[in-house]
Amino acid sequence: MASNRSALEEAPSRTSGAGAGTATRYGSWFEPAAEARADQDTETWDEWNPTEESIAPVRGRHRVAKQRGGTMARSGAVLGVGVIAAVGAGGMASAKDRPKAPISMPDLAHVADKVRDVLPDAEDLPGIGSLLSDSGSGDSSTSAAAPLSQAGLTSEDEANGATDAGEALRARILQQAENQQNAADESQRVAAADAAATKAAAAAKKAADAEDKRQAEAEAEKKAAAAEAKRKAEEAARKKAEAERLAKLAAQYTLPVVSYTLTASFGQAGDMWSADHTGQDFAAPTGTPVKAVHGGTITSAGWAGSYGYRIVLKLNDGTELWFCHLSSMVRTSGSVTTGEVIGRVGATGNVTGPHLHLEVRPGGGSPIDPMPWLRDHGLNP
């Protein structure tokens, strides 16, 4: 296997002559002819600085002195650097005046025959043989006869009438650019359409939500109105029922006296009583008829000390009604009906003037305010 090392690195070198400026002779790869070698062994040259014409001399203490008495090249590496510097700095003009270095190349003719015998034919190479076989021997003359400007034409270009490969390439490039621009425009159009569709969908959704909200609010208002109407109807029905009940109770209950003046009320304090007032006083002239407020049974009738003459009427629910300070008692026992006269107004007992003292005692217990009780039974004193 051939080495990757360069011929300059492998070639042994030696120096002929012993004086300054003596040329260098190389090994077998670069062995010069005898005549050239003799000239190089005897010929001496001045020092050659390839960068002398392109680089100005350095001024100051760091100054490079010229090297005299050196050979043309001290090694293969120095020669390579010198050639590169000469090409880069314009030293090629000086290099042309130097004699060419003789180079001997080995004879590779016998190797080429062996390599040709080993390599396969071009038609047998994968991917290449088909191209060569399609061309055929019959078309070779045509292809060879075709001008170079038609070398890049394709069958599609020929079908389109193109005769120049450059123009065909230009047309393809322009067509490709147009296709790319059309694709970009189409992408922008699609993006704009998608954005518009998204915006329209959002607007439609917003409108639908607003409509749903409006309908929901309208439904809520409708329900609220219906509930309010129902409440008002129920309130009206309740009031009507209460009025009917009070009217019926009014027919069943009556005030104890017809003509009267309300004086001392329930719970009122005064010197006339040992405690607060326990009933409601109806002032009326002596002898004014006193009626049974509601039907019931007289359980007690007679003198009751500070109450004077008193009649106790017990109703069917157990409530006791006390009629006090009577001047006379018409009924003293038995059952009575609503509005039946049971006595007359007087000033008996602990009083300052004629009046009826009415007490209401639920279940026969402690007295309560008679006024709310009378109103609850449809009466409005």
Side-chain angles (χ1 to χ4, degrees), residues 3-93:
S3 174
N4 292 328
R5 296 171 57 191
S6 65
L8 292 176
E9 294 176 352
E10 292 181 356
S13 63
R14 61 185 179 84
T15 304
S16 298
T22 304
T24 302
R25 188 176 63 187
Y26 294 87
S28 59
W29 276 93
F30 298 97
E31 186 68 26
E35 295 81 359
R37 185 171 63 252
D39 294 339
Q40 291 179 1
D41 290 341
T42 60
E43 184 179 3
T44 60
W45 299 320
D46 292 335
E47 178 186 7
W48 174 52
N49 185 2
T51 63
E52 182 177 6
E53 298 177 2
S54 61
I55 301 178
V58 181
R59 299 182 182 275
R61 58 187 299 184
H62 301 290
R63 184 171 299 184
V64 180
K66 289 187 177 181
Q67 298 181 1
R68 299 185 180 276
T71 60
M72 178 181 178
R74 299 184 181 278
S75 65
V78 175
L79 178 59
V81 173
V83 173
I84 295 173
V87 173
M92 201 65 176

Side-chain angles (χ1 to χ4, degrees), residues 11-375:
S13 63
R14 61 185 179 84
T15 304
S16 298
T22 304
T24 302
R25 188 176 63 187
Y26 294 87
S28 59
W29 276 93
F30 298 97
E31 186 68 26
E35 295 81 359
R37 185 171 63 252
D39 294 339
Q40 291 179 1
D41 290 341
T42 60
E43 184 179 3
T44 60
W45 299 320
D46 292 335
E47 178 186 7
W48 174 52
N49 185 2
T51 63
E52 182 177 6
E53 298 177 2
S54 61
I55 301 178
V58 181
R59 299 182 182 275
R61 58 187 299 184
H62 301 290
R63 184 171 299 184
V64 180
K66 289 187 177 181
Q67 298 181 1
R68 299 185 180 276
T71 60
M72 178 181 178
R74 299 184 181 278
S75 65
V78 175
L79 178 59
V81 173
V83 173
I84 295 173
V87 173
M92 201 65 176
S94 298
K96 289 182 179 179
D97 297 336
R98 307 300 181 189
K100 298 181 180 180
I103 300 175
S104 61
M105 298 295 293
D107 186 10
L108 301 177
H110 64 286
V111 178
D113 295 336
K114 294 181 179 180
V115 172
R116 185 169 52 251
D117 295 338
V118 176
L119 292 176
D121 295 336
E123 291 79 359
D124 298 334
L125 294 176
I128 298 178
S130 59
L131 297 177
L132 296 177
S133 61
D134 292 343
S135 61
S137 59
D139 298 337
S140 60
S141 59
T142 305
S143 299
L148 184 60
S149 60
Q150 298 180 359
L153 291 176
T154 62
S155 59
E156 184 179 356
D157 296 335
E158 294 177 355
N160 293 333
T163 58
D164 187 88
E167 290 297 328
L169 178 60
R170 176 177 174 276
R172 286 198 296 270
I173 293 174
L174 293 177
Q175 183 63 35
Q176 184 178 4
E178 183 179 358
N179 293 338
Q180 292 177 353
Q181 183 63 35
N182 293 337
D185 295 341
E186 180 65 18
S187 299
Q188 292 180 356
R189 188 190 66 78
V190 172
D194 292 343
T198 302
K199 185 177 181 180
K205 185 177 183 301
K206 184 177 180 180
D209 294 341
E211 181 64 20
D212 294 341
K213 183 178 179 181
R214 188 190 64 78
Q215 291 182 359
E217 291 177 353
E219 187 67 20
E221 291 178 358
K222 184 178 179 180
K223 289 182 179 180
E228 181 65 16
K230 182 179 180 181
R231 186 190 66 79
K232 290 182 178 180
E234 291 176 352
E235 181 68 14
R238 186 187 65 79
K239 290 180 178 181
K240 182 178 180 181
E242 181 66 12
E244 292 176 354
R245 184 186 71 84
L246 293 177
K248 185 181 291 186
L249 289 175
Q252 297 175 359
Y253 289 81
T254 186
L255 292 174
V257 291
V258 177
S259 179
Y260 60 88
T261 300
L262 296 176
T263 55
S265 61
F266 180 82
Q268 182 177 336
D271 297 337
M272 299 296 296
W273 315 288
S274 60
D276 293 339
H277 196 230
T278 58
Q280 177 65 50
D281 289 348
F282 295 81
T286 301
T288 300
V290 175
K291 299 177 183 179
V293 176
H294 189 63
T297 303
I298 297 176
T299 59
S300 175
W303 184 259
S306 61
Y307 286 104
Y309 287 107
R310 180 189 67 178
I311 295 176
V312 176
L313 176 63
K314 185 176 183 180
L315 305 182
N316 293 332
D317 61 357
T319 301
E320 291 183 355
L321 301 180
W322 290 9
F323 301 87
C324 308
H325 306 304
L326 300 176
S327 61
S328 63
M329 297 178 292
V330 178
R331 295 288 304 269
T332 57
S333 62
S335 298
V336 295
T337 60
T338 303
E340 185 177 348
V341 177
I342 59 176
R344 297 185 183 279
V345 176
T348 58
N350 188 12
V351 297
T352 58
H355 69 278
L356 171 66
H357 175 83
L358 177 66
E359 289 190 8
V360 178
R361 294 174 176 263
S366 300
I368 61 173
D369 190 353
M371 297 300 286
W373 185 88
L374 292 172
R375 294 190 186 98

